[in-house]
Amino acid sequence: VGLGVTRLLSGVARLVQHPQQHLLYSVHLAWVASVLLSLIHFWWWEFSLYQISTWTFGIYLFVIGYAIFLFLQCALLFPDSLQEYENYEDFFFARRAWFFGLLAATSLFDFIDTRIKGEEHFSRFSGEYFIRTPILIIMCIVAAKTRSKKFHVVFVAATLIYQLSWIFRLFDRL
């Protein structure tokens, strides 16, 4: 998770340091914000792991795998080099199947992660999970296949709004 945050913040710092180097793309930047929010949320969410009384190596590997999926999303947003691409928009559309495939997989990991934390924890979210997870996966499949800029703007905006709503509705309580 720390590596993912570092990757995103380093990428943003490069954009600030060299604004003329590569043309920016608003959808790309919005996904950067969304994935950064996901990383921060994941970090917060994983504090609930103290509730698991019996740890297995399988659960440990699962949590590590979840973090790896998040990191890979970060690497797809800020690659080591953009030499093969004209700009971030070109790169984003060229690698969208990978990015949205990882986003869909991460959504499934999130569902499983919530189950691992126990029935009481899962029941707090399960109704909404059974609606949001399939919708997000379907949207990721469409996003992986389409180059429609309008679709991608609406999808990332809806994702950010929903993420913020989810966090403040369910986690920002005393």
Side-chain angles (χ1 to χ4, degrees):
V1 174
L3 292 173
V5 170
T6 300
R7 183 85 177 215
L8 292 180
L9 294 180
S10 295
V12 170
R14 270 194 317 275
L15 296 176
V16 171
Q17 292 166 350
H18 307 286
Q20 303 303 318
Q21 192 171 25
H22 297 287
L23 186 62
L24 303 179
Y25 179 47
S26 59
V27 171
H28 168 262
L29 291 175
W31 280 115
V32 169
S34 178
V35 172
L36 181 60
L37 184 58
S38 293
L39 287 164
I40 293 166
H41 185 208
F42 177 80
W43 221 330
W44 170 261
W45 185 272
E46 294 312 303
F47 280 123
S48 296
L49 291 175
Y50 77 88
Q51 297 172 354
I52 297 174
S53 57
T54 305
W55 274 84
T56 65
F57 193 69
I59 291 173
Y60 174 76
L61 282 178
F62 175 82
V63 172
I64 295 297
Y66 191 160
I68 288 170
F69 274 47
L70 288 167
F71 173 79
L72 290 174
Q73 287 177 42
C74 299
L76 283 168
L77 288 170
F78 284 113
D80 293 331
S81 170
L82 280 179
Q83 280 184 304
E84 303 168 46
Y85 306 94
E86 287 184 42
N87 51 43
Y88 280 103
E89 181 179 354
D90 184 39
F91 174 77
F92 178 79
F93 281 109
R95 294 289 171 246
R96 71 186 183 279
W98 278 97
F99 178 77
F100 291 111
L102 284 168
L103 183 60
T106 302
S107 179
L108 289 173
F109 266 60
D110 187 60
F111 186 87
I112 296 166
D113 183 64
T114 303
R115 290 288 300 164
I116 288 171
K117 290 178 180 132
E119 190 57 43
E120 182 180 334
H121 186 80
F122 182 75
S123 66
R124 182 173 170 208
F125 312 108
S126 62
E128 197 165 337
Y129 261 121
F130 289 116
I131 296 168
R132 89 173 196 165
T133 303
I135 289 172
L136 181 60
I137 291 170
I138 290 167
M139 297 296 284
C140 284
I141 291 167
V142 172
K145 294 179 182 277
T146 187
R147 290 187 61 92
S148 167
K149 292 180 183 180
K150 190 177 280 188
F151 173 84
H152 283 279
V153 167
V154 170
F155 183 30
V156 73
T159 299
L160 277 166
I161 291 166
Y162 181 80
Q163 281 178 286
L164 290 169
S165 166
W166 175 263
I167 290 167
F168 288 112
R169 281 183 298 118
L170 298 170
F171 298 104
D172 197 34
R173 297 185 182 164
L174 295 174

